[in-house]
Amino acid sequence: MTSKFIPVEEFDYVVFGGTGDLAERKLLPALYRRAADFQFTGDSRIIGASRAKMTSEEYRQFAAKALDAHVGDEERDQTSVADFLERLHYVSVDATQDAGWSELKALLGDEDRVRAFYLAVSPRLFGPIASRLHGEGLVNEHSRLVIEKPIGHDLASAIELNRAVGEHFREDQVYRIDHYLGKETVQNLMALRFANALFEPLWNSAHVDHVQITVAESLGVEGRGNYYDHSGAIRDMVQNHLLQLLCLVAMEPPASIDADAVRDEKLKVLRCLEPIGPANVGDVTVRGQYVAGASGTQAVPGYLDEIDNDQSDTETYVAIKAEISNWRWAGVPFYLRTGKRLPERVSEIVIQFRPAPHNIFGEEERFEANRLVVRLQPDEGVKQWIMIKDPGPGGMRLRHVPLDMSFAKAFNVRSPDAYERLLLDVIRGNATLFMRRDEVESAWTWVDPIIAAWRETGKKVQRYTAGSWGPTASIALIERDGRTWYEDENA
Ligand code: BG6
């Protein structure tokens, strides 16, 4: 199976925070891979920009090391690396001062090509950099601004941030990254739903019993304690990644794959989320925080030790029973859960169908309801659980088995990192996999009252041991409804 790569038009990608962690681990490797597949045309350039004093040659050395560390040997060949490094330039720019801006302007010149500004910097610099770019005359018809979460800490700060950026860039020039939308299987969810006639007639409350969305991580906060402790799992994961997944599962079929057609439908879902407040927050949410335990066979410290603050009440785990009040989904719970230091890294979406209405096989043959499991990571793939006759002689016995499709096995291609897709979609001007301003704000509109209700009702975190599946209350959350969290029987 060979993949087809369509070259993009000539561009300049300016990466603010070009020497930072995101650039090193994700952006440079992703851009390299796309360049190595010959998707860059002409003399498309990548311009690192940050306060550090560095020459372009030194930046190339920095990038070469980043590729050594984060791109597999089999993907690095000398010619591709050399070609890629030649495209790199560096300007030392102080986002809030005058230093470096004239050099950046001179480097960009008046080329008539796509100009993308990726702000891999603290969100408090989004507004000031957008304003500078505008003030320096660097924003033209072909300019794009790329920003990434956290987009605000709550609704008010998100509105302010969007406003600050929106003063200098039109909404269609702003690309808000949620890297979950760039994951292969997330895009596959759209293919599954809208390129097959099979599922859509069943995709509603008449046939779906409930939906589960799990994003489990085995890692802890990994040195990001400062940011994380002010954020917690609900802001870090639910407000963005989990709600985006929920939207893709629950939205109506858009009229086309165009950015606004898709985003309009996602927005409608967000607006239909049943509010959670002081009256029900205790019943439909669970907050957890890990204490010392194990990751695999290795002993790991608890959250409070990792962040060195024994008073923190920040949640590292959250489970929520969400409801969507619309015609399609009324009465179908969406159970969301995410946490750090869980037993494994796994992200999956489970569509649990209702049981068959009548059993013709007799009382002793129990049947399980059908279930569709879309696995985002690792081992991306789709499993459709069905009932079959147990093969072989011995009468009519039934068995629940998956039609199992692992994408890696079926297609034998490397699954691209989310940033590879997203970075080039910016150049293509395709905003389908990016969040629109009103989506981000709607997500906060639902999340803010949950956080406020936790505060108001004094809902403290419940402890869970690192390496377990979260607080026992999260099991109760779903079992109270006569359901259980999905565990792969065949794993
Ligand atoms: C980020 C969060 O957005 O997503 C991190 O800030 C989290 O806390 C990460 O670890 C998970 O992403 P992935 O792609 O590894 O599932």
Side-chain angles (χ1 to χ4, degrees):
M1 221 300 325
T2 52
S3 307
K4 197 168 118 203
F5 301 114
I6 303 168
V8 294
E9 60 184 294
E10 219 170 0
F11 63 81
D12 282 333
Y13 231 118
V14 183
V15 182
F16 286 89
T19 54
D21 187 55
L22 185 69
E24 185 199 324
R25 281 187 312 109
K26 293 288 186 184
L27 307 182
L28 289 169
L31 287 166
Y32 163 73
R33 288 186 174 114
R34 294 298 92 239
D37 282 333
F38 306 106
Q39 276 190 284
F40 293 3
T41 50
D43 78 331
S44 293
R45 298 179 297 179
I46 295 147
I47 302 169
S50 82
R51 266 206 320 218
K53 296 265 176 269
M54 210 185 256
T55 62
S56 288
E57 199 39 51
E58 284 165 335
Y59 191 57
R60 289 183 191 122
Q61 287 164 17
F62 165 83
K65 279 197 195 131
L67 302 187
D68 279 351
H70 303 287
V71 178
D73 289 349
E74 68 295 348
E75 291 178 76
R76 270 182 293 127
D77 70 87
Q78 255 182 351
T79 320
S80 306
V81 171
D83 284 354
F84 176 71
L85 294 179
E86 230 172 77
R87 296 181 181 279
L88 299 189
H89 300 261
Y90 183 79
V91 187
S92 169
V93 184
D94 190 328
T96 54
Q97 308 288 321
D98 293 337
W101 287 94
S102 51
E103 285 83 345
L104 178 60
K105 194 168 172 179
L107 184 59
L108 287 172
D110 46 17
E111 303 274 357
D112 187 26
R113 53 167 71 172
V114 174
R115 193 179 274 179
F117 300 104
Y118 196 119
L119 309 194
V121 294
S122 158
R124 71 187 158 73
L125 295 176
F126 291 175
I129 294 181
S131 157
R132 273 281 176 171
L133 289 169
H134 186 238
E136 298 289 339
L138 295 175
V139 183
N140 60 25
E141 238 342 88
H142 308 295
S143 299
R144 279 140 214 190
L145 188 76
V146 189
I147 55 179
E148 190 159 356
K149 72 168 247 280
I151 297 180
H153 187 70
D154 54 16
L155 177 61
S157 52
I159 291 176
E160 174 47 30
L161 202 153
N162 282 331
R163 187 205 58 74
V165 161
E167 260 184 39
H168 309 291
F169 286 83
R170 291 191 319 265
E171 177 59 24
D172 66 317
Q173 293 180 302
V174 180
Y175 289 74
R176 292 179 195 79
I177 287 200
D178 182 314
H179 78 281
Y180 266 61
L181 293 181
K183 290 188 190 275
E184 275 290 286
T185 321
V186 175
Q187 297 168 58
N188 235 314
L189 187 60
M190 283 207 264
L192 203 67
R193 283 195 61 191
F194 306 127
N196 296 289
L198 185 63
F199 297 110
E200 214 39 36
L202 305 179
W203 212 260
N204 55 51
S205 62
H207 302 284
V208 175
D209 176 74
H210 73 277
V211 175
Q212 300 182 16
I213 301 177
T214 296
V215 178
E217 297 184 86
S218 53
L219 294 178
V221 286
E222 308 300 306
R224 291 164 72 228
N226 254 349
Y227 150 76
Y228 194 87
D229 203 44
H230 290 105
S231 164
I234 194 161
R235 290 189 175 96
D236 187 47
M237 298 296 287
V238 177
Q239 188 272 344
N240 35 79
H241 307 323
L242 275 88
L243 284 186
Q244 285 294 321
L245 297 180
L246 176 142
C247 285
L248 292 177
V249 173
M251 71 183 183
E252 295 299 317
S256 74
I257 193 77
D258 287 351
D260 280 334
V262 172
R263 299 187 300 179
D264 284 348
E265 294 309 334
K266 288 197 288 167
L267 182 65
K268 287 184 207 159
V269 174
L270 291 167
R271 289 186 171 154
C272 289
L273 281 168
E274 192 62 31
I276 295 176
N280 61 347
V281 79
D283 293 335
V284 299
T285 70
V286 174
R287 304 180 69 214
Q289 188 187 80
Y290 60 88
V291 296
S295 178
T297 52
Q298 209 188 345
V300 291
Y303 176 70
L304 297 181
D305 301 324
E306 273 189 85
I307 59 155
D308 208 14
N309 166 11
D310 58 9
Q311 299 302 311
S312 173
D313 186 54
T314 298
E315 77 285 347
T316 59
Y317 177 98
V318 59
I320 302 181
K321 176 181 173 183
E323 308 251 8
I324 301 170
S325 299
N326 66 14
W327 192 279
R328 186 187 281 257
W329 294 116
V332 178
F334 282 63
Y335 298 98
L336 316 178
R337 64 173 169 167
T338 182
K340 296 208 180 274
R341 284 278 184 243
L342 300 183
E344 53 181 324
R345 176 174 186 250
V346 55
S347 297
E348 61 195 2
I349 299 169
V350 178
I351 314 294
Q352 177 66 59
F353 291 96
R354 293 189 186 282
H358 172 64
N359 182 355
I360 64 167
F361 299 98
E363 284 292 294
E364 63 283 6
E365 285 305 327
R366 275 202 38 231
F367 30 89
E368 303 270 346
N370 298 130
R371 182 187 296 142
L372 176 69
V373 181
V374 180
R375 181 173 283 225
L376 274 48
Q377 60 193 28
D379 315 328
E380 298 158 336
V382 175
K383 275 186 189 179
Q384 172 65 65
W385 288 81
I386 55 166
M387 297 299 299
I388 59 155
K389 177 194 169 295
D390 203 8
M396 186 70 169
R397 283 190 310 273
L398 301 177
R399 213 162 117 178
H400 197 214
V401 292
L403 296 176
D404 189 353
M405 172 144 140
S406 148
F407 294 147
K409 278 188 209 140
F411 301 109
N412 195 23
V413 288
R414 179 186 65 83
S415 190
D417 185 77
Y419 283 96
E420 292 178 48
R421 169 74 198 251
L422 296 176
L423 284 166
L424 289 211
D425 272 0
V426 172
I427 304 302
R428 292 184 191 101
N430 179 358
T432 301
L433 298 175
F434 297 82
M435 296 179 296
R436 208 168 52 192
R437 175 179 187 158
D438 45 9
E439 275 182 85
V440 174
E441 294 176 5
S442 269
W444 280 120
T445 302
W446 186 69
V447 162
D448 273 0
I450 302 178
I451 299 172
W454 283 344
R455 224 180 7 246
E456 237 173 87
T457 59
K459 190 174 171 68
K460 297 275 170 229
V461 290
Q462 293 173 282
R463 312 287 165 198
Y464 63 98
T465 307
S468 71
W469 275 110
T472 44
S474 66
I475 298 172
L477 174 84
I478 191 164
E479 294 199 346
R480 248 197 328 262
D481 296 342
R483 302 171 173 124
T484 50
W485 290 112
Y486 170 72
E487 258 181 69
D488 195 338
E489 302 154 35
N490 275 18

